[in-house]
Amino acid sequence: MGKTPALVRAPGRVNLIGEHIDYCGLSVLPMAIQRNVRIVFHPRTDRDVLLVNRDPGFGPSTFTLSETIPPAPAGDWGNYARAAAQALVPRFPDLRGIDAQVESDLPIAAGLSSSSALVVAMALAILHANDVSVAPLELMDLLARGERYVGTAGGGMDQSIILGAQAGCASRIDFHPLRLTPTAVPADWQFIVAWSMVHAEKSGAARQEYNERPRQADEARRLVAARLGHPEDTSYPALLAAAPAPELLEIAGQSLPVVLSRRFRHVVTEAVRVHQAEAAMARGDLAVFGQLLDDSHQSLRDDYEVSHAELDHLVELAREAGAAGARLTGAGFGGSIVALCLAERAPQVLTALRERFYAPRGAAADVERYAFTAAPSPGAEVLTPGASPG
Ligand code: NG1
């Protein structure tokens, strides 16, 4: 077992398109970004995990690796570390603990997956400290299920892209079986991420709202499957393979309660958009990709009802400033938008957001933290032993 300190880096991600459908088993198209959670860690000889955070807003957290790791109170950041550990212990019962110092330049509760970045970074740190390796696809799956420890019923997008991203690329992620297919982001495209200044705490207030969506999507799926004479457990991908999307939407429109019918329409239309967007990216068609972002936002706002007035406003401003399209990204209920523009237009879009969104909210000085160009970045890695963060 290595005794020297080591450093692990796990990036945040921006989901380009395919929102609120990973938990339906449908493909999504995210990319990792250049902001990271970093952990410097030392192996321990016992089974304790001692965590400190360089951000004074987050106090120390300690737990012991055991078969059942009791959670800290809901909302405690240490639960993401516990989630990683709890996912690994059943598979590797003899793991020893670590001393870990965490830091991050990823905004929290901003829809950029700071929580999953912490889960992935912790898991890699514990595994590295124990000289254990796990195949990437297996680890993605273990951690996706593991993060539900915090009480969210999320899908597997975040852990997969954080572990499996490639520099310069977005990746289509398919589930069951899990697979990542990279597509190069055209050199003259620029994605911009902008935070709405509304926290979307999935471990807190937004959790109930978030968890309601997978339940509704699932109920809609069961009802449509039954209407088609398919077994109740027919998955969304199987439904989409069995009948064309317009036919599915017609059945849902005729037979489902109105809210479920709208949830279903979002899931099905978004699934179609992911494949259209991937093809548009591959051929460098900025206008089509932008239009798909706009359509996705409208669907998330009206049919899935996960937007927020501040997100809608940011999306409008980005478009008015010359973006080809924009939409909320991540779980919604606050968090961030992603906008696409020609690289040469990015400064103009960022200036407009500063003047028209952040300055009126007294946040012009913080604009570089809140709104930035997102570089398609590589996935998580353990870096040279002895390095220190930052
Ligand atoms: P974020 O943006 O990190 O809250 C959540 C889920 C994803 C996905 C998106 C919506 C987790 C860890 N993440 O992401 O799986 O469902 O919402 O597309 O639950």
Side-chain angles (χ1 to χ4, degrees):
M1 182 192 303
K3 292 275 181 277
T4 43
L7 169 66
V8 61
R9 176 191 68 75
R13 64 96 183 95
V14 57
N15 187 20
L16 302 181
I17 197 155
E19 212 64 84
H20 279 278
I21 61 169
D22 60 344
Y23 48 71
C24 299
L26 293 164
S27 306
V28 295
L29 189 70
M31 69 183 201
I33 60 175
Q34 71 277 24
R35 296 197 178 188
N36 297 280
V37 168
R38 289 188 171 81
I39 301 181
V40 176
F41 60 96
H42 300 72
R44 291 177 61 89
T45 51
D46 61 16
R47 310 203 70 203
D48 290 345
V49 174
L50 271 63
L51 291 168
V52 291
N53 198 314
R54 300 249 323 237
D55 181 334
F58 298 99
S61 188
T62 303
F63 61 93
T64 303
L65 297 172
S66 65
E67 212 169 297
T68 312
I69 302 170
D76 188 307
W77 74 281
N79 278 336
Y80 292 102
R82 286 169 172 80
Q86 183 66 82
L88 297 176
V89 171
R91 174 88 161 69
F92 304 104
D94 300 324
L95 289 175
R96 300 195 175 281
I98 56 172
D99 291 327
Q101 189 189 58
V102 178
E103 70 164 26
S104 171
D105 61 357
L106 257 175
I108 290 161
L112 302 177
S113 244
S114 59
S115 58
S116 301
L118 178 55
V119 171
V120 168
M122 269 307 291
L124 290 179
I126 293 172
L127 290 171
H128 184 83
N130 283 274
D131 276 340
V132 174
S133 59
V134 182
L137 288 174
E138 186 189 349
L139 190 57
M140 292 168 193
D141 193 51
L142 262 182
L143 297 181
R145 284 184 284 118
E147 193 167 330
R148 297 192 189 135
Y149 177 93
V150 303
T152 47
M157 160 170 63
D158 301 345
Q159 304 78 4
S160 303
I161 192 67
I162 289 167
L163 278 161
Q166 288 189 22
C169 295
S171 295
R172 189 189 79 233
I173 303 176
D174 306 320
F175 302 97
H176 318 301
L178 187 58
R179 194 163 62 120
L180 276 75
T181 309
T183 297
V185 176
D188 60 345
W189 288 23
Q190 186 71 69
F191 287 101
I192 291 174
V193 169
W195 183 45
S196 63
M197 298 177 66
V198 179
H199 286 282
E201 296 276 9
K202 254 194 315 93
S203 60
R207 182 164 75 187
Q208 223 177 330
E209 273 286 340
Y210 176 87
N211 285 347
E212 193 189 20
R213 296 304 184 277
R215 272 200 301 277
Q216 291 173 325
D218 202 53
E219 198 183 337
R221 178 197 58 72
R222 266 192 311 105
L223 293 171
V224 172
R227 250 330 253 261
L228 278 169
H230 290 300
E232 275 217 341
D233 61 357
T234 306
S235 66
Y236 268 104
L239 277 184
L240 276 156
E247 192 180 313
L248 293 174
L249 296 181
E250 202 182 317
I251 294 170
Q254 284 163 1
S255 57
L256 262 49
V258 63
V259 170
L260 288 189
S261 166
R262 284 198 274 123
R263 302 293 189 257
F264 186 83
R265 184 164 59 190
H266 167 70
V267 171
V268 167
T269 57
E270 186 78 353
V272 173
R273 282 188 288 271
V274 168
H275 295 280
Q276 293 171 339
E278 185 190 25
M281 180 176 274
R283 62 174 193 272
D285 194 333
L286 181 102
V288 165
F289 201 103
Q291 183 62 50
L292 291 164
L293 294 180
D294 289 351
D295 295 347
S296 173
H297 185 74
Q298 193 185 336
S299 177
L300 287 159
R301 185 190 62 203
D302 300 341
D303 281 347
Y304 224 58
E305 297 181 280
V306 292
S307 193
H308 184 286
E310 294 294 83
L311 290 169
D312 297 342
H313 189 43
L314 263 178
V315 158
E316 276 310 307
L317 291 177
R319 284 190 201 126
E320 283 170 24
R327 63 177 204 86
L328 74 84
T329 184
F333 309 108
S336 300
I337 66 152
V338 59
L340 170 64
C341 63
L342 273 177
E344 66 199 33
R345 283 210 190 147
Q348 149 194 340
V349 174
L350 286 167
T351 301
L353 296 182
R354 185 180 67 232
E355 285 170 3
R356 300 185 59 198
F357 188 84
Y358 295 107
R361 287 161 182 75
D366 292 316
V367 72
E368 266 141 48
R369 269 196 304 134
Y370 294 168
F372 56 92
T373 56
S377 301
E381 60 189 335
V382 178
L383 297 160
T384 43
S388 62

